[in-house]
Amino acid sequence: MDSEHVQCLDGSSEEEHKKILQMRDLVEKQDSTSKEYDDLTLRRFLRARDLDIDKACTMFLKYLKWRKTFVPNGSISVSEIPNHITQNKLFMQGTDKSGRLITVVFGGRHYPNKAGSLEEFKRYVVFTLERIISRMPPGQEKFVAIADIQGWGYSNSDIRGYLAALSILQDYYPERLGKMFVVHVPRVFMAAWKMVYPFIDEKTKKKIAFVENKQLKSTLLQDIDESQLPEIYGGKLELVPIQDS
């Protein structure tokens, strides 16, 4: 069998396993805190850079530097994001057929002018991603998002916030998003989408699916069992705010 296709116990190929060891040696020499991160973390950065060790190392070291300054205490507390928590716009529970945690975010409940600074929004994004990761089932690294844009208008538009969230997801939490369903999309939203789209990397673009209203339930049921689908989409799960989950 080709050595590239030999699978290790953690699901890595032989090639990935070798490159993880090489990457670990390089990053630990430059930042000793790298030792605190497991091989699966390094693998996500490697995969995000198509197994290019130099690019993956650069990306990972940038992440370490960012985390020390942006999350100096190791986590974001609810008290640091009061304006966003009260908007009740993100929910999390249930898993898809692949065992990936499901999150639902309501774009029409995001009001940037009432939500404090851009920095607070960035903290909210990190709080959200950390909470999702902490709730992932054992052996699972990715989550599924349902972005519900119903009721979205110009008062919800936040291009700076969208780009900041995208940067955090792509640069600091690579290979965490498994799939995103964009639902209940009003025509006016597409103007904002066209401004954000060029900044989405190719790997992420392939994970985003716009769903027509008429095919909403049938499309979601292809990936999510009815027992795990939120009630508002014809399923049986009641939504729970992320801060209460």
Side-chain angles (χ1 to χ4, degrees):
M1 180 181 289
D2 190 329
S3 62
E4 289 189 7
H5 300 292
V6 174
Q7 293 292 308
C8 299
L9 291 176
D10 63 2
S12 300
S13 67
E14 183 65 23
E15 180 190 11
E16 286 179 327
H17 183 64
K18 290 178 180 178
K19 289 192 173 185
I20 288 169
L21 295 176
Q22 290 176 265
M23 180 178 173
R24 180 170 293 285
D25 183 56
L26 290 169
V27 295
E28 287 185 2
K29 287 177 180 177
Q30 296 187 62
D31 191 326
S32 60
T33 61
S34 301
K35 297 176 181 179
E36 300 171 12
Y37 294 85
D38 61 18
D39 287 353
L40 294 180
T41 300
L42 298 188
R43 186 178 71 179
R44 286 193 295 275
F45 281 84
L46 268 170
R47 287 179 173 177
R49 289 297 177 262
D50 297 316
L51 304 188
D52 183 309
I53 294 177
D54 290 338
K55 290 181 179 179
C57 285
T58 298
M59 185 185 191
F60 182 66
L61 291 169
K62 179 184 175 184
Y63 161 75
L64 293 181
K65 183 178 180 181
W66 165 81
R67 191 165 183 85
K68 289 171 186 174
T69 56
F70 198 78
V71 198
N73 299 320
S75 63
I76 303 292
S77 67
V78 171
S79 63
E80 295 178 81
I81 49 172
N83 295 294
H84 290 281
I85 288 296
T86 57
Q87 290 185 352
N88 221 29
K89 56 194 171 190
L90 202 142
F91 300 77
M92 172 180 67
Q93 78 266 41
T95 56
D96 74 351
K97 294 177 181 178
S98 297
R100 299 175 297 192
L101 197 68
I102 299 168
T103 65
V104 182
V105 59
F106 292 97
R109 297 185 186 180
H110 174 65
Y111 291 94
N113 292 334
K114 301 178 182 179
S117 66
L118 179 62
E119 288 303 301
E120 183 181 336
F121 179 64
K122 290 179 181 178
R123 290 196 295 272
Y124 178 72
V125 172
V126 173
F127 169 85
T128 295
L129 289 168
E130 293 287 336
R131 185 62 66 93
I132 291 170
I133 291 167
S134 71
R135 285 283 309 277
M136 285 180 176
Q140 186 56 254
E141 296 182 80
K142 299 186 178 185
F143 69 95
V144 170
I146 299 175
D148 195 322
I149 318 298
Q150 188 166 31
W152 188 95
Y154 289 118
S155 61
N156 306 115
S157 184
D158 186 10
I159 303 301
R160 287 199 311 155
Y162 300 155
L163 292 177
L166 182 65
S167 176
I168 290 170
L169 179 67
Q170 294 182 161
D171 297 342
Y172 306 131
Y173 294 86
E175 296 298 303
R176 283 300 194 182
L177 178 65
K179 190 168 186 176
M180 176 182 284
F181 298 96
V182 187
V183 306
H184 294 146
V185 183
R187 185 172 299 177
V188 66
F189 174 75
M190 297 312 296
W193 177 253
K194 288 177 181 177
M195 296 178 70
V196 174
Y197 189 76
F199 296 93
I200 305 175
D201 66 35
E202 292 305 316
K203 286 179 177 287
T204 304
K205 285 177 180 176
K206 294 175 182 177
K207 299 172 183 178
I208 300 173
F210 279 74
V211 184
E212 294 183 14
N213 291 345
K214 293 180 180 179
Q215 301 173 340
L216 180 55
K217 183 177 180 181
S218 61
T219 299
L220 293 177
L221 285 175
Q222 290 176 20
D223 286 61
I224 306 169
D225 284 327
E226 189 175 20
S227 64
Q228 299 295 301
L229 188 66
E231 290 177 334
I232 57 172
Y233 304 122
K236 298 181 179 179
L237 272 192
E238 183 178 347
L239 290 175
V240 177
I242 191 167
Q243 64 269 24
D244 297 333
S245 60

